[in-house]
Amino acid sequence: MMRSRGWIVALVVLAAAALWWRWRPAAPLERSALRRVAQAPASAPVPPRLTAARAADEWQGMQIDVGAAPPCESSAGCGLGRACKQGRCTACSADSDCAPGEACALDHCVVQALAACHSRADCPTGQLCLLSGYSNQARGNEDMRAYCLDPASGAGSIPAPPELPPDTRTRLPDDDLFDRARAAAKRT
Amino acid sequence: MSRKLGLVVIVAAALGSARADAATGWISGSVKLWNANGNYCPTTNSCVGSRYPQSQFHTWQALANAHVNIYDSAGTFLGQGGTGTDGTFVASWTAPVKPAQIRVRFFASQKDSRFHLADPGGGWYNWFTNLISTSTSSGTQPIGEYYLGSPTAPDPYANAYWAAEREWREVFNLVGVLQANFTNVEIRGFADDMPAFRGNCPTSCAAGEDKQVQLDADAAFNPQARVMHELGHIASYVTHPWKRTRNYNWPNTTGTSGWSQTSSEWSDAAFEEAFATHYGNIVFWNDNAVTPTTCNTSATCYSTAGVPKSTADIEATSWAHTVNSCSTVASNPESRWPLSHMRFFWDVFDNHNDAVGDTYTANQGDFWRHLHNLAWYPEGTGANQIDEPWNSTRTSVTELDGRGTLSYVHNYAANVADVGVLRIDNCSPL
């Protein structure tokens, strides 16, 4: 009887430990410090980019490296306007590869209302179908346009650059902590 | 049988739970670099029209429009995104099983593949965060601000990226032919000799046909004369490919050594160097600038009193009207200086009338045209054609003053406007 009670107590303790481990509070966020990459992996050999095939007479910008494809469950969950195919974020080849409301243009999923072309075949002779660039939001195509470009065109003047308030701090919020950590490291 | 069935059930349950554990998360943050790029306009000058005043120097600037990747602690690739012009980003990650920690890498790569910076061996340069514990709550997890370099140790790659990105966004991106053709440019830094790349080029170099730029060991923090200038060569080439000559050092017909703002050069070389420099000049100067400069060092181009140095002053007025104020020293006439070609380009662009007949302003409606003009050059080796320096079979250079400012004026007149007087206003470079 005593022996079975011991087993029960042990099981309860184990279960409690497992529950705590599963639901433990998150560790505090890492400090906002960056370590500069000195050698690895920046100086490691870079595998050749495996770009999705695009006809030679199409625009050659923003080609997708299909060798670098993160996992996914749906196209809406992919960044940089990628399509989710076989569990990987990669180039689309048809509108149906993309999330609802998106079209496939130059291997990228573009919001349908912003897709004036899918390829140069949709553009007047002498023009190319281009992508305007990724947004900085999660899907990456929130304001990306696919548009026909006449290479003999452009802006009439340089607009004034946006005025961003200068960040003149020379000390950052965590610098005191880093200083103390460095001093402690020196002492040891 | 029942034991086998039980095993199947257990395996199926395990697979099912693994599937159910697949997780997606979102992170947000921002990244900045300590800007130590020289060539700003110092506070000792009035800086009318400056797009790079001293207030931006030695401050934190956004790592704008850069590529961002997300990994787990083992280095497995989980997601990707890009920063905006203000350096902020939101990106998602997905993993079969929720990782306890993730790591973020910021790449010195323009997120739309316009250009990227690599080390001398070709590795794509990047910076990485410490491991970040993933949030247990739903929604976007803020990971904070990140900083590249410091006031005591500014990062050369981040600084070169800052200059290149501004040149792309504020100049190249406004010209259709460059939107179409300025793609996938590789910039490697920082070493004088890269045997597997462009070889030995101790003051940086570029190859338009390969879309490659090599930055020398001292190129960091020297934007106008280095990364911006070299990217200018790429822009010039992709606007209208041509067969380069590499002939410098007038009157020597075999010279291939370097040039300076005031060295004597064949117009073929001087024009190309000036055009490559002009792109960067208009990144830092608006059309109403009064004392614009082009620098050849990582410092500023002004005296301590705020006066432009003579060899950097692109608005200085020398002309042959009434009194000829152009230097006519036989061994080094001002018409042979690359600086004279640069001053011509500046007068085509600017809205500051400082010389006889200087009333034209490309930036008041014709901005893209004055950079697109090369694309209008006819194919061929004849007068004012794109390969004018070459003989008809392109086997030898026969006109070292071909494809110079005179050709630019001719083709601009045929397509946009007559700017011939601006050439004369600047000592008549050929």
Side-chain angles (χ1 to χ4, degrees):
Chain A
M1 184 64 186
M2 283 296 287
R3 207 173 145 189
S4 64
R5 189 178 291 172
W7 272 109
I8 290 168
V9 170
L11 280 173
V12 167
V13 169
L14 268 174
L19 278 173
W20 176 85
W21 181 252
R22 174 69 185 85
W23 300 109
R24 71 193 189 283
L29 294 182
E30 297 288 336
R31 293 285 182 197
S32 297
L34 276 185
R35 281 187 291 158
R36 204 187 84 180
V37 176
Q39 279 87 36
S43 61
V46 173
R49 285 167 62 82
L50 303 170
T51 51
R54 191 181 290 173
D57 61 350
E58 292 286 357
W59 181 54
Q60 297 301 308
M62 294 179 68
Q63 296 197 39
I64 289 178
D65 183 356
V66 294
C72 55
E73 293 185 297
S74 69
S75 293
C78 289
L80 302 185
R82 305 292 198 259
C84 187
K85 296 167 77 174
Q86 284 92 48
R88 294 281 163 185
C89 295
T90 189
C92 64
S93 49
D95 292 356
S96 56
D97 292 337
C98 298
E102 294 178 345
C104 180
L106 298 173
D107 315 321
H108 288 75
C109 296
V110 179
V111 175
Q112 270 175 356
L114 301 178
C117 54
H118 293 69
S119 68
R120 73 179 299 171
D122 297 332
C123 299
T125 304
Q127 298 193 11
L128 290 169
C129 182
L130 263 70
L131 300 171
S132 61
Y134 301 117
S135 71
N136 64 340
Q137 298 301 302
R139 182 72 177 112
N141 67 359
E142 284 79 357
D143 55 9
M144 181 162 68
R145 292 177 297 113
Y147 63 102
C148 293
L149 173 80
D150 177 357
S153 66
S157 61
I158 302 185
E163 279 296 324
L164 296 174
D167 183 347
T168 54
R169 291 174 297 171
T170 55
R171 298 280 296 169
L172 298 174
D174 292 334
D175 276 359
D176 55 335
L177 298 176
F178 285 119
D179 290 346
R180 271 185 266 160
R182 275 191 284 269
K186 265 187 189 170
R187 281 198 297 275
T188 57
Chain B
M1 181 66 189
S2 65
R3 284 180 67 182
K4 276 185 183 170
L5 188 62
L7 195 61
V8 169
V9 168
I10 289 168
V11 169
L15 287 174
S17 70
R19 173 76 186 160
D21 279 340
T24 293
W26 293 264
I27 58 170
S28 66
S30 68
V31 55
K32 295 179 176 180
L33 61 105
W34 183 256
N35 177 36
N37 279 299
N39 309 171
Y40 56 86
C41 183
T43 53
T44 46
N45 187 282
S46 67
C47 295
V48 173
S50 171
R51 298 163 67 91
Y52 183 31
Q54 190 168 350
S55 59
Q56 295 178 11
F57 177 67
H58 278 176
T59 60
W60 295 104
Q61 296 281 318
L63 187 76
N65 300 306
H67 189 81
V68 176
N69 276 356
I70 306 169
Y71 305 84
D72 67 14
S73 58
T76 306
F77 187 27
L78 301 183
Q80 56 194 339
T83 65
T85 301
D86 61 358
T88 65
F89 63 93
V90 177
S92 65
W93 55 262
T94 298
V97 176
K98 183 179 179 182
Q101 295 177 309
I102 56 172
R103 190 191 298 285
V104 179
R105 286 185 188 273
F106 304 106
F107 285 76
S109 307
Q110 204 275 347
K111 66 179 173 2
D112 306 320
S113 308
R114 296 298 179 172
F115 65 86
H116 76 268
L117 275 106
D119 62 21
W124 289 42
Y125 207 82
N126 64 89
W127 302 267
F128 62 90
T129 66
N130 293 328
L131 286 169
I132 300 163
S133 298
T134 50
S135 173
T136 54
S137 56
S138 60
T140 302
Q141 174 182 353
I143 64 167
E145 291 185 329
Y146 287 84
Y147 299 89
L148 311 178
S150 70
T152 52
D155 189 292
Y157 289 90
N159 276 264
Y161 178 87
W162 177 87
E165 197 279 331
R166 280 196 63 171
E167 187 169 36
W168 161 254
R169 177 163 42 89
E170 297 179 21
V171 173
F172 297 162
N173 191 33
L174 306 180
V175 184
V177 70
L178 297 179
Q179 284 183 23
N181 298 339
F182 191 94
T183 56
N184 308 314
V185 177
E186 179 174 17
I187 307 168
R188 291 195 192 182
F190 292 91
D192 290 358
D193 190 10
M194 299 186 200
F197 199 54
R198 303 310 314 173
N200 186 35
C201 55
T203 55
S204 299
C205 54
E209 59 274 26
D210 297 320
K211 295 187 178 179
Q212 292 179 342
V213 166
Q214 181 169 313
L215 298 178
D216 65 85
D218 297 322
F221 317 118
N222 186 357
Q224 277 182 303
R226 293 294 183 263
V227 69
M228 285 177 163
H229 170 84
E230 301 302 344
L231 288 177
H233 281 305
I234 305 292
S236 154
Y237 185 87
V238 301
T239 296
H240 193 161
W242 63 295
K243 185 167 181 176
R244 290 189 296 150
T245 63
R246 297 190 182 89
N247 282 88
Y248 290 78
N249 315 129
W250 176 90
N252 185 343
T253 56
T254 57
T256 56
S257 60
W259 62 280
S260 72
Q261 312 281 63
T262 55
S263 59
S264 338
E265 306 295 341
W266 294 101
S267 290
D268 162 48
F271 171 87
E272 173 61 21
E273 298 298 351
F275 204 176
T277 307
H278 178 65
Y279 295 102
N281 291 345
I282 56 179
V283 175
F284 283 176
W285 294 101
N286 260 335
D287 62 15
N288 61 333
V290 177
T291 56
T293 55
T294 192
C295 283
N296 198 24
T297 72
S298 58
T300 76
C301 289
Y302 297 81
S303 69
T304 51
V307 178
K309 293 175 180 171
S310 61
T311 58
D313 186 349
I314 49 175
E315 182 64 319
T317 300
S318 299
W319 70 86
H321 295 283
T322 316
V323 177
N324 188 345
S325 55
C326 299
S327 170
T328 54
V329 174
S331 61
N332 187 20
E334 200 166 339
S335 62
R336 291 272 168 204
W337 296 358
L339 187 56
S340 294
H341 296 260
M342 286 178 210
R343 287 171 173 167
F344 161 75
F345 279 124
W346 176 258
D347 278 342
V348 170
F349 166 78
D350 81 343
N351 193 22
H352 179 228
N353 302 334
D354 68 317
V356 174
D358 180 8
T359 55
Y360 178 74
T361 304
N363 200 41
Q364 302 293 310
D366 287 338
F367 172 74
W368 69 272
R369 292 182 179 87
H370 98 287
L371 298 181
H372 180 93
N373 190 35
L374 289 174
W376 282 315
Y377 284 32
E379 298 295 339
T381 57
N384 306 315
Q385 296 180 333
I386 193 70
D387 282 325
E388 184 181 10
W390 294 88
N391 66 353
S392 60
T393 55
R394 293 181 175 80
T395 50
S396 65
V397 176
T398 51
E399 178 48 271
L400 283 166
D401 283 329
R403 195 184 176 271
T405 289
L406 209 50
S407 292
Y408 182 95
V409 168
H410 175 88
N411 286 295
Y412 204 67
N415 292 283
V416 188
D418 184 354
V419 291
V421 69
L422 302 179
R423 188 182 74 87
I424 297 168
D425 284 341
N426 290 285
C427 302
S428 304
L430 295 174

